[in-house]
Amino acid sequence: MNHFLSINDLSRKDITGFINAAKNLKKKRRQEKILKGKSFVLLFDKPSLRTKVSFEVAIAELGGSYSYLGDGSAGFGKRESLKDTAEVLSRYIHCSIVRTFKQKDLLRFARFSSASVVNALTDTEHPCQILSDLLTITEKVGSLDNFKIAFIGDGNNVCNSLIQAAAVLKFKLSIATPSGYEPKRESYRVKLEDLNKQSLRVEIVNSPQDAVRDADFVYTDVWTSMGWEEEQSDRKKIFESY
């Protein structure tokens, strides 16, 4: 696999492989040979604390080197076209880890990058977050089968990637959002009616109480994501019971 841009790109075998590898690396850190001689760039159009540090520590402990381009220093698609940026970086590095706004910009960047591209976050998807959550879940229940997640909050990028993961792994997912804040199909790009034909796997409701019923894991998220700060006062009222 050259790029990792979306949970939709993965099979169950892919996800299982990632999680098993993560378990092994978590038990035995500092395996410098794995990424020895590999160079990475963290191209962060959006600032971050946990995402930035987790990637930096992982790359360093596995023996790779990295450059951090944030705070507008790269001007993702602004100072230079996404095509030019991708082609130039591909001459220097082995992988670009991109945290930006629009998924379509990430896809365009990846199209022109001969180096691998990892989606560290867009406005519509957050696949690395979901893989890390699935790692935690398997550590608790021992497998990727027969559990239910209740997601309470905004139908945002994390929610979209959770839906995609449920479609691949077939776990049960109940999403509770205020009316008007449900996840949009064009963002998660999974046909829930097809997924639910055999048995109800994914449901979207407006009641947190209904969503958490019989849940094994309850997932809550922020009411206001980065870029929507202007809606914060309104969202505080709307999401108060969530």
Side-chain angles (χ1 to χ4, degrees):
M1 179 181 299
N2 190 35
H3 303 317
F4 175 39
L5 308 178
S6 172
I7 295 290
N8 277 342
D9 297 334
L10 304 181
S11 65
R12 181 183 179 89
K13 182 178 179 181
D14 293 328
I15 293 176
T16 301
F18 280 135
I19 290 176
N20 288 338
K23 285 181 179 178
N24 292 331
L25 292 172
K26 189 174 179 180
K27 289 178 182 177
K28 185 180 179 182
R29 295 173 61 168
R30 294 197 174 279
Q31 299 188 47
E32 287 87 352
K33 292 182 180 180
I34 293 178
L35 295 181
K36 184 178 181 181
K38 303 294 184 182
S39 299
F40 296 74
V41 62
L42 277 68
L43 186 55
F44 278 32
D45 202 21
K46 272 189 172 184
S48 166
L49 172 64
R50 283 161 290 275
T51 305
K52 177 178 182 293
V53 172
S54 61
F55 273 109
E56 289 179 339
V57 171
I59 293 167
E61 290 194 357
L62 296 177
S65 61
Y66 64 86
S67 300
Y68 174 71
L69 299 177
D71 305 320
S73 59
F76 193 72
K78 299 178 181 69
R79 286 182 15 221
E80 299 181 52
S81 70
L82 292 171
K83 178 177 182 293
D84 287 347
T85 303
E87 290 178 343
V88 168
L89 287 175
S90 295
R91 298 170 190 155
Y92 295 99
I93 52 98
H94 297 88
C95 178
S96 293
I97 300 166
V98 180
R99 182 179 170 97
T100 189
F101 292 86
K102 296 179 181 179
Q103 183 80 6
K104 67 179 183 179
D105 288 344
L106 174 75
L107 296 176
R108 180 169 176 79
F109 178 85
R111 176 185 170 192
F112 294 106
S113 176
S114 57
S116 296
V117 178
V118 172
N119 180 0
L121 174 140
T122 67
D123 284 353
T124 54
E125 299 190 38
H126 202 349
C128 290
Q129 176 70 55
I130 299 310
L131 287 182
S132 66
D133 294 330
L134 290 172
L135 168 62
T136 301
I137 287 172
T138 59
E139 289 175 332
K140 297 297 182 182
V141 300
S143 74
L144 290 171
D145 299 302
N146 300 321
F147 58 84
K148 175 184 174 180
I149 298 175
F151 179 90
I152 314 298
D154 190 14
N156 58 14
N157 50 4
V158 172
C159 184
N160 291 329
S161 291
L162 263 180
I163 293 173
Q164 295 169 351
V168 176
L169 299 174
K170 304 298 188 288
F171 60 79
K172 291 185 178 181
L173 174 62
S174 186
I175 298 162
T177 72
S179 180
Y181 290 85
E182 297 88 351
K184 297 177 175 59
R185 176 181 289 185
E186 61 268 25
S187 296
Y188 57 79
R189 296 177 288 120
V190 173
K191 291 183 178 181
L192 298 188
E193 59 269 29
D194 292 342
L195 181 61
N196 293 332
K197 279 179 181 177
Q198 295 181 338
S199 62
L200 184 63
R201 291 287 180 179
V202 178
E203 62 176 356
I204 301 174
V205 299
N206 298 127
S207 167
Q209 291 77 17
D210 289 343
V212 300
R213 190 173 293 118
D214 300 324
D216 299 291
F217 301 93
V218 177
Y219 197 129
T220 60
D221 203 3
V222 295
W223 297 343
T224 306
S225 297
M226 285 184 293
W228 297 326
E229 288 82 358
E230 68 279 0
E231 300 179 23
Q232 189 162 354
S233 59
D234 292 337
R235 281 174 171 261
K236 189 174 182 179
K237 298 175 183 177
I238 294 169
F239 282 85
E240 188 172 4
S241 63
Y242 290 78

